[in-house]
Amino acid sequence: EAGVTQFPSHSVIEKGQTVTLRCDPISGHDNLYWYRRVMGKEIKFLLHFVKESKQDESGMPNNRFLAERTGGTYSTLKVQPAELEDSGVYFCASATTRMNIQYFGAGTRLSVL
Amino acid sequence: GENVEQHPSTLSVQEGDSAVIKCTYSDSASNYFPWYKQELGKRPQLIIDIRSNVGEKKDQRIAVTLNKTAKHFSLHITETQPEDSAVYFCAASNGRDDKIIFGKGTRLHILP
């Protein structure tokens, strides 16, 4: 069974540009989560989808971040325009049902210069 | 909201010795405590978890203990091996929502 996959693994962009990160959850997992780890700090929750619906987006930093999960399969996280403080590793996780084990992807390392 | 503190930030132990990582949490409603291991360049992987209805759980060389009164939980690795070198994250979840609140991580070095 394929795990959670994220693309790209690394992205380097300049301040003010736009970047879109993609996450493919484990097949059949309705629950999809985005997290972010800024250098040296904890992994922080960004938002949670149940199928195509946003269940909780309380962790989204500001309106420069837009997450979508059209069709309830893969998800994208767009940052527009990117700022220096957006640099970090963005993780995606998925789970079969709520309150179940969350399986993580390898992350996308975003570097904003 | 929930806050998870993790100590130490870095830990070096001799191969074969034991390693202990300690975490505290603030929300008494938290009832699920997973531990993730992240090797360099790889994904965080769940290694063990514990729910608030038990005080201890063991899986081979790994054990986790939970003290709900003190809001402490700990990871114990015995007979450490080189492949145990990684960053370990403790975390807590309250059962009201699916957020996992993570600690800052402990970088564990196993010395030959």
Side-chain angles (χ1 to χ4, degrees):
Chain A
E1 177 183 278
V4 176
T5 55
Q6 293 186 244
F7 182 83
S9 58
H10 194 178
S11 180
V12 182
I13 61 172
E14 292 186 351
K15 177 183 171 180
Q17 290 186 321
T18 297
V19 63
T20 300
L21 314 181
R22 173 169 168 147
C23 169
D24 286 73
I26 294 172
S27 178
H29 283 197
D30 287 341
N31 293 267
L32 187 149
Y33 310 83
W34 283 98
Y35 293 87
R36 175 174 76 170
R37 188 183 190 206
V38 173
M39 176 75 81
K41 298 196 173 181
E42 66 271 29
I43 301 172
K44 278 197 167 180
F45 169 85
L46 296 178
L47 87 159
H48 169 208
F49 283 100
V50 177
K51 297 186 180 178
E52 67 275 9
S53 300
K54 289 177 186 173
Q55 187 73 22
D56 180 354
E57 52 184 331
S58 61
M60 294 288 264
N62 51 60
N63 59 9
R64 295 186 293 103
F65 288 76
L66 176 64
E68 294 180 322
R69 193 183 181 196
T70 308
T73 54
Y74 71 90
S75 175
T76 57
L77 179 65
K78 181 161 73 173
V79 185
Q80 180 182 29
E83 298 289 344
L84 300 179
E85 63 265 25
D86 301 332
S87 295
V89 181
Y90 290 77
F91 291 103
C92 175
S94 72
T96 51
T97 58
R98 292 196 61 188
M99 312 316 298
N100 211 332
I101 295 171
Q102 295 185 21
Y103 295 90
F104 278 72
T108 294
R109 181 174 296 276
L110 175 63
S111 300
V112 183
L113 306 178
Chain B
E2 175 65 282
N3 182 49
V4 176
E5 298 286 340
Q6 182 171 350
H7 299 280
S9 57
T10 305
L11 178 62
S12 296
V13 300
Q14 236 24 74
E15 183 179 347
D17 288 350
S18 295
V20 180
I21 301 171
K22 298 184 178 182
C23 292
T24 61
Y25 61 98
S26 59
D27 187 352
S28 56
S30 288
N31 59 8
Y32 175 61
F33 306 91
W35 286 85
Y36 284 84
K37 172 185 179 182
Q38 187 181 20
E39 296 176 74
L40 192 62
K42 297 189 177 179
R43 69 193 66 213
Q45 288 202 305
L46 181 76
I47 56 171
I48 195 166
D49 57 10
I50 190 168
R51 296 192 185 268
S52 58
N53 57 345
V54 298
E56 185 173 357
K57 185 175 177 181
K58 191 173 180 181
D59 182 4
Q60 299 182 346
R61 296 185 298 107
I62 294 173
V64 58
T65 59
L66 171 64
N67 182 329
K68 287 171 56 181
T69 303
K71 299 198 192 79
H72 288 176
F73 58 117
S74 301
L75 178 72
H76 304 251
I77 306 174
T78 58
E79 300 171 16
T80 53
Q81 300 170 3
E83 55 266 33
D84 295 330
S85 292
V87 178
Y88 291 80
F89 295 95
C90 64
S93 182
N94 62 25
R96 292 192 298 270
D97 51 51
D98 287 358
K99 288 180 202 178
I100 292 181
I101 308 300
F102 286 88
K104 291 187 178 181
T106 295
R107 184 172 295 279
L108 176 62
H109 299 276
I110 306 302
L111 306 172

